[in-house]
Amino acid sequence: MISSPLPHRIQFHVDPIFRDEVAQLPWRVPISEWHKYGVRPLNIHRGISRHVVIFVRAGRFTFGIKEISEEISKKEISNYEELLLRGIHTLIPVGYVVREEEPVAVRTPVGVQYEAGNISHTITLLVEKVLPDSQLYTRGFSFDNRKRIWDAIAELFVELHTNGVYWGDASLANTLIRFEKVDEPFVGKKTTLKAYLADAETVEFRPSVSKAMREAELNFFFESMEWMNENLRAGGSTRDELATVNDQQYLRGRYGMLSAVEEKKKEFERLTSYNIDRFLGQIHNPSYVDLFMKHIEEHKWYLSERSYAPVSLKEAAHDWYEYVYKPVCELFRREKIVDLFPGKTAAELYIEIMTNKYFLSQKIGKDVGMIQAMHNYAEKFGVTNPFLERIKSTSDKLLSIFTGKL
Ligand SMILES: Nc1ncnc2c1ncn2[C@@H]1O[C@H](COP(=O)(O)OP(=O)(O)O)[C@@H](O)[C@H]1O
Ligand SMILES: [Mg+2]
């Protein structure tokens, strides 16, 4: 039972930045009728949804507005806030707006009760330039292109699960995909596909997400892929059955791989105080973390030998980063070596050239050095003649880093 509220009183629970724009909208009427009140809803592609969702422009902003119960909109907005705090790619919450309605009479075994009939709205900022999910399944869209999308989705799932977040409604419709520019250490801005969590009603925060829950989340998502297939079939487009199975296998594999990388990165950060993504660069292979660790351990050994005193792993990591890793990667950037290997990050180049050095040395029976290793690596990757000159001049500078410091 509630006390009788004033009819159509509007409550604004909105971030002050957006308050003026939100207040301009006709909250006294249902959002499905706004077009009659001078508001022009934008025709924006959106995933299948249970609730009424509209997109509107108001002053400086464009909002996504979902009509929903008061309790859930409040929870959803606070979920978005917590997700952002945990560094997860998700919608920016604007707030929720409640329209107070007359209480509704509900018959119960103990007589008639009055329940709040309030209507509420979850408001988020519109994410623009999203790739339509249906495109993923059209024949023209190659498996290779689709893999980049599964990569982005696997990354989102790993981000969620390693941060103690269980989504509970992971579906294609609730995942927004778009191109984004991200800062890549020693490379600069790089365009990459990113997946966003849209629809945070069911999100739960836990100390950790168990293996069974991770499995359930993936399976739920796989089901959503099947629905998409069904929808497309119903809509007349065809696609071979196997495609979905391949997609699922790929996504599962990628998720497993990235989860392993994430675990190792955490351990690496605990031991060295270095966050790999922020300082070294993106890597997608767990063994690369082990290799970085091995280089730092070797550097630690070298430093202790040189100073006749024990050196801690953290000290060694710092010294290695400042006097070996950073100068090498800065050289890669200055000499535009990274451009010769499109798609590779500085961290991957560093590891791959170092690994090449190791194997070449093993084969010949003596240390071949960085320069030969880099030449050989460039040849393997089919870098053509004019660029080999650039590699040559870079090699000489690389030599000075290694002979100067080591
Ligand atoms: N801020 C936003 N920017 C872009 N798309 C959005 C935004 N909010 C919602 N959408 C799209 O609208 C769909 C429906 O919203 P959602 O919150 O999932 O509603 P429901 O709870 O009914 O499923 C989402 O799946 C997403 O595709
Ligand atoms: Mg949804």
Side-chain angles (χ1 to χ4, degrees), residues 86-89 147-163 165 167 175-178 180 182-184 190-197 214 217-218 221 250-262 265 277 281-284:
R86 293 179 188 222
I88 286 155
H89 281 87
K147 279 201 256 183
R148 300 291 76 80
I149 288 171
W150 303 137
D151 288 349
I153 292 177
E155 201 181 324
L156 174 65
F157 284 163
V158 172
E159 218 172 62
L160 291 170
H161 296 162
T162 55
N163 282 294
V165 182
W167 187 352
T175 311
L176 304 179
I177 310 279
R178 68 169 199 165
E180 211 138 282
V182 294
D183 260 323
E184 178 57 40
K190 199 176 112 180
T191 305
T192 173
L193 277 178
K194 282 276 174 201
Y196 279 67
L197 181 157
R214 290 171 185 230
E217 189 111 290
L218 280 187
F221 188 83
Y250 179 81
L251 181 53
R252 191 182 283 284
R254 187 73 179 179
Y255 173 82
M257 182 94 147
L258 294 182
S259 301
V261 176
E262 212 46 49
K265 277 185 192 160
D277 291 336
Q282 292 274 331
I283 48 177
H284 303 101

Side-chain angles (χ1 to χ4, degrees), residues 66 237 292 400:
K66 164 159 77 173
S237 53
F292 275 128
S400 69

